[in-house]
Amino acid sequence: MPKLKVDGVEIEVPQGATVLQACELAGKEIPRFCYHERLAIAGNCRMCLVEVKPGPPKPQASCALPAADNQEIFTMTPMVKKAREGVMEFLLINHPLDCPICDQGGECDLQDQSIAYGKGHSRYDENKRAVTEKYMGPVVKTVMTRCIQCTRCIRFMDQVAGVEDLGAIGRGEDMEITSYLEHALGSELSGNVIDLCPVGALTSKPYTFEARPWELRKVPAIDVTDGVGTNIRLDVRGRDVMRALPRINEDVNEEWAHDKTRYVVDGLTRGRLDRPWLRENSKLRQATWEEAFAKIAEIAAEAKDSVAAVAGDLVDVETMYAAKQLLAALGSTLIEGRQTGLAYDASNLAAVNFNTTIAGIETADAILLVGTNPRWEASLVNTRIRKAVLAGAKVFAIGPEVDLTYKVQWLGDDLSLLHKLPKDATDAFKDAQRPAVIVGGAAIKTPAGQAASLALVKTLDLIRDGWNGFNVLHTVAARTGGLMLGYAQDGGMASLAQKAPKLLFLLGADEADLAPFAKSFKVYLGHHGDKGAHAADVILPGAAYSEKHGIHVNLEGRVQYSEKAVDAPGDAREDWSILRALSDVLGQRLPFDSFGELRARLFADHPEFAEPGLVPFVWAPPKIDAPKIGKGTEVAYPIKDFYLTNPIARASATLQRCSAELLHGQDFAEAAE
């Protein structure tokens, strides 16, 4: 490990570190525009200049200079100060005076660094150049005259997103950043270029001129649009969630978020349920809480213990626990969380968990994807797999061929291949040190698929000292938490339908096939007037994920806490409080009167939820007596439209346009500005 001095202080840095990283380890702030910790080094903005001895008597770019023994680095000499002022003067030659109208104002790197490292005047009085705007799709707004050609956006799209949609044309003063033929960016991760842009050249199109950063209250939360559990920050003004931005969590999402996470927030105010509804003579009418509860109590008296609950994709652990307690008080154990019909054995949670962990999968050297499209089902797991591929891992897949942004050897679209993998795959796994299998919902929806997938543990030697390479990829936020609470009937939804419950609670369940429950009296507890509400006999307006505190468990079994950002609209209430009030009317009072008491009961019954972090599941997979998968059993990926997978997303105008334009090829005319 090299030893060197930074401004007279001796430090030791890891082998391969750059001078910039060495300076930061020593506590020195080094300005930069093009350098980013997660992207390849470009060295083209020259803002990170420092003086290094031994070396030439001139400032050097610290981001591209390796740290070495016996170096002396100076970060604040007159030479360095003058050089940085000169670089800043160059960067501002053509930059427009847009700060009062720029959406980046108040959180702009160029503003901050021009104040800290620039001069108060410029020696250049030539006319500024202007660059025509570029169209980059429904989520990224461009003002390319502001661009300083740091190339962060290009490197992100190429290296992280794996989509070569951005590039530079021209040279020198004529250089411009543009998308290919000015088409929309075709990546589900394209919104990250907005965060990466150090100036206001790339900003959020839906957020244009909406708010200033100093007006916003910032609330930490957890994304519920997929099973990854992306750590986010909700920026709130008044009673409106203005935007969602990723928070750094190295174990989960690093510092990225996909576009559904970012732009689902405009769906929080559209199509909302803000008062109870009651179906009479096949038509819904507005009702009071008392009327709705009285009707449910009337049906519950007839149903007795013939009561069931189905948990949707977005619900929090507290809501599922309160519903489970209410059903137990009514004498029922009919609870199910796999609303789309999956029927795998969940008696051992390690057998349906992402055991390698999200961060761990990037260290795998051989990966088999079975019935999963991770690019749509878990975009930020897909970026980790891409990292593994760039490090030399081989990826094989069973399913219909799709573009996963990295090289994949497709073995065929036939699940029966699980019983006898091709020689190429078995040879690669035989030589692998850290083999991994990722099984999707398309493969484990039947007992036969689950049995064949679990058999790979022995066939491919997936479990070794300190390594468990068997992974199940859940696509929804509530799945793992629901399984931990027992929301899994033997036989799944089909088994639940056979029991023909007279009273059925739908906890935000909008994706379930409710035809088999035609004779059940359905109570929908949720926040949007989506599919579940359309089929309901009573609608109870609940709170969305941004309107309540909640615990969410991601696909790797990581317990995470989300905080309340705003109040629910109208007469809508937090889900647990609705169930608590209903329990009084049903004569089965739940043993908690506040959210704190609810959590205390939850933690007493399920201590695994009491602390954030990974829950250790003991590996003891079930023995499943199922026939072999027949030849020709094709894979059907569970997600047909990445942007419209839940009721909030379907209510979002931005995501509707993303779906129409990016997936279905619809053209949108842009107004001239």
Side-chain angles (χ1 to χ4, degrees), residues 54-392:
K58 62 178 183 179
Q60 298 188 60
S62 60
C63 68
L65 186 65
D69 274 323
N70 302 318
Q71 275 180 335
E72 285 191 72
I73 301 163
F74 303 94
T75 65
M76 295 299 292
T77 62
M79 180 198 292
V80 171
K81 184 175 183 293
K82 184 179 179 183
R84 289 175 181 169
E85 288 175 350
V87 170
M88 184 60 69
E89 198 172 354
F90 276 124
L91 290 173
L92 294 174
I93 288 175
N94 289 306
H95 196 79
L97 297 174
D98 280 354
C99 298
I101 60 158
C102 178
D103 275 311
Q104 195 85 340
E107 47 192 9
C108 174
D109 289 349
L110 190 63
Q111 278 184 330
D112 296 341
Q113 293 186 39
S114 63
I115 290 172
Y117 303 102
K119 293 197 294 187
H121 65 279
S122 172
R123 289 167 290 179
Y124 295 92
D125 56 7
E126 289 80 9
N127 291 334
K128 292 179 181 284
R129 74 162 186 168
V131 182
T132 56
E133 303 313 335
K134 307 295 189 293
Y135 182 69
M136 292 190 184
V139 300
V140 179
K141 174 180 168 60
T142 66
V143 185
M144 299 312 291
T145 301
R146 301 171 186 160
C147 179
I148 61 170
Q149 288 94 38
C150 70
T151 70
R152 279 186 182 183
C153 54
I154 297 174
R155 284 175 285 147
F156 172 82
M157 294 298 286
D158 184 40
Q159 296 160 21
V160 180
V163 177
E164 296 178 349
D165 275 5
L166 278 181
I169 57 174
R171 290 174 63 83
E173 190 182 25
D174 298 323
M175 180 177 171
E176 298 181 16
I177 308 295
T178 181
S179 60
Y180 180 68
L181 298 180
E182 294 197 29
H183 287 173
L185 300 181
S187 172
E188 63 287 342
L189 299 170
S190 60
N192 290 292
V193 301
I194 297 164
D195 294 344
L196 287 170
C197 184
V199 296
L202 304 177
T203 56
S204 173
K205 187 172 283 187
Y207 182 68
T208 303
F209 304 142
E210 288 293 326
R212 286 300 197 182
W214 53 85
E215 301 176 312
L216 304 174
R217 182 166 49 87
K218 300 168 178 61
V219 182
I222 302 298
D223 173 48
V224 296
T225 59
D226 63 12
V228 173
T230 300
N231 287 225
I232 59 173
R233 187 189 86 199
L234 297 177
D235 285 359
V236 179
R237 185 178 64 188
R239 296 190 62 171
D240 294 324
V241 177
M242 304 303 296
R243 62 178 178 178
L245 298 176
R247 287 183 290 132
I248 296 176
N249 187 323
E250 299 294 348
D251 295 324
V252 182
N253 57 294
E254 298 178 288
E255 61 182 80
W256 314 128
H258 58 65
D259 291 350
K260 193 163 47 174
T261 300
R262 290 174 181 274
Y263 298 109
V264 77
V265 294
D266 69 336
L268 290 169
T269 55
R270 293 179 170 89
R272 287 301 301 269
L273 299 172
D274 60 359
R275 66 198 66 184
W277 294 79
L278 191 60
R279 191 177 298 277
E280 289 180 351
N281 301 320
S282 301
K283 290 186 177 180
L284 288 168
R285 71 165 177 87
Q286 294 181 25
T288 64
W289 282 103
E290 290 77 10
E291 289 175 317
F293 284 174
K295 185 63 177 178
I296 297 169
E298 178 189 327
I299 301 298
E302 299 172 9
K304 296 182 180 176
D305 64 350
S306 183
V307 184
V310 176
D313 295 346
L314 312 181
V315 276
D316 52 286
V317 167
E318 290 91 344
T319 299
M320 290 187 281
Y321 175 75
K324 180 183 177 182
Q325 293 296 98
L326 180 59
L327 262 68
L330 295 171
S332 173
T333 58
L334 300 180
I335 54 176
E336 179 58 65
R338 299 163 297 179
Q339 57 170 327
T340 53
L342 301 179
Y344 48 78
D345 187 321
S347 57
N348 179 255
L349 294 181
V352 289
N353 186 51
F354 203 88
N355 297 294
T356 304
T357 71
I358 294 171
I361 196 65
E362 66 183 58
T363 65
D365 50 5
I367 302 171
L368 173 64
L369 306 176
V370 182
T372 180
N373 172 5
R375 183 173 176 184
W376 278 11
E377 295 171 23
S379 303
L380 297 178
V381 171
N382 198 57
T383 61
R384 303 278 191 162
I385 299 173
R386 178 174 164 78
K387 272 189 179 182
V389 172
L390 294 176

Side-chain angles (χ1 to χ4, degrees), residues 342-475:
L342 301 179
Y344 48 78
D345 187 321
S347 57
N348 179 255
L349 294 181
V352 289
N353 186 51
F354 203 88
N355 297 294
T356 304
T357 71
I358 294 171
I361 196 65
E362 66 183 58
T363 65
D365 50 5
I367 302 171
L368 173 64
L369 306 176
V370 182
T372 180
N373 172 5
R375 183 173 176 184
W376 278 11
E377 295 171 23
S379 303
L380 297 178
V381 171
N382 198 57
T383 61
R384 303 278 191 162
I385 299 173
R386 178 174 164 78
K387 272 189 179 182
V389 172
L390 294 176
K394 293 182 179 178
V395 178
F396 304 88
I398 297 173
E401 293 190 21
V402 292
D403 179 13
L404 295 179
T405 73
Y406 43 81
K407 185 178 178 181
V408 179
Q409 185 173 332
W410 294 92
L411 305 179
D413 183 12
D414 187 350
L415 272 182
S416 65
L417 286 166
L418 289 172
H419 298 301
K420 190 172 182 181
L421 292 171
K423 189 173 183 301
D424 287 355
T426 54
D427 287 349
F429 273 82
K430 198 178 295 181
D431 298 334
Q433 299 298 312
R434 299 168 79 84
V437 168
I438 300 176
V439 183
I444 61 166
K445 61 183 177 183
T446 62
Q450 186 181 13
S453 301
L454 285 169
L456 295 175
V457 172
K458 186 175 181 182
T459 307
L460 302 179
D461 190 20
L462 297 178
I463 298 181
R464 306 173 184 185
D465 287 342
W467 178 259
N468 185 336
F470 183 80
N471 304 290
V472 170
L473 188 69
H474 296 304
T475 61

